Amino acid sequence: MTLITHPRRKSNLARMIDSAGGVSVGVALARARANIEAKRAEALTVVESEIAALEAVPAPVGPDDAPARLDEAYRAATGVIDAAGPFDLVDLCRTASSLCDLIGAARPGEAFDWRIVIVHARTMRLLQTLPLEAAEQRARVLHDLGRMVERKLAQAG
């Protein structure tokens, strides 16, 4: 067993690691929020282009075409989630996520009701036009969409 008889000194590196760096947590969070907020307009442009991409995906012309079309729709929906998520655009994220769930539940070789993609794209457009203060209307839209998703998932299961 080793016995240390003199006090250990803390190294400069250890002191720097333990110090807050001169910035409080509150200031650091405020700066982070400001940095994210500066990207909001860019993110909304990406959301717009991903919704447009979703609207532009043509319905499959046959069973061989379906996987590629569903992949396109899935990529556009995840693009909406990626762009909208950091900005608390929860309604858009929920709508895109429910589309991803339905595409994920699709059975290979079985027909996919393409109206689902159309309804989700239109719902995202509607949510874009509703002001954030219209919480009741947004909730109603999401509730109705959720009922449709539940029915479709039950049919798929």
Side-chain angles (χ1 to χ4, degrees):
M1 174 175 346
T2 306
L3 180 64
I4 300 174
T5 58
H6 62 279
R8 293 209 174 218
R9 291 187 319 175
K10 205 168 193 178
S11 71
N12 286 337
L13 179 58
R15 258 190 231 106
M16 286 190 319
I17 290 172
D18 289 341
S19 70
V23 177
S24 71
V25 173
V27 170
L29 287 173
R31 286 180 184 168
R33 283 188 200 101
N35 289 339
I36 288 174
E37 202 55 39
K39 297 287 186 178
R40 181 179 285 276
E42 184 180 333
L44 292 176
T45 301
V46 172
V47 167
E48 171 64 32
S49 68
E50 294 295 346
I51 294 172
L54 180 62
E55 292 170 328
V57 177
V61 292
D64 294 338
D65 191 34
R69 298 296 179 223
L70 289 173
D71 283 346
E72 285 181 64
Y74 192 91
R75 276 194 307 273
T78 58
V80 170
I81 295 168
D82 291 344
F87 300 95
D88 294 328
L89 300 172
V90 179
D91 298 344
L92 283 172
C93 290
R94 281 182 54 195
T95 304
S97 179
S98 73
L99 177 57
C100 290
D101 290 344
L102 287 167
I103 292 172
R107 293 186 180 140
E110 288 188 16
F112 185 83
D113 186 355
W114 198 253
R115 294 175 300 176
I116 292 169
V117 175
I118 296 167
V119 166
H120 277 80
R122 288 182 181 165
T123 299
M124 287 184 223
R125 284 282 179 220
L126 176 61
L127 291 171
Q128 279 185 308
T129 62
L130 287 174
L132 292 175
E133 300 80 34
E136 183 180 326
Q137 290 87 350
R138 289 174 163 279
R140 208 168 343 151
V141 167
L142 290 173
H143 177 266
D144 291 344
L145 182 70
R147 288 181 46 215
M148 184 271 300
V149 169
E150 287 174 8
R151 280 194 308 270
K152 291 296 181 180
L153 286 174
Q155 290 172 0

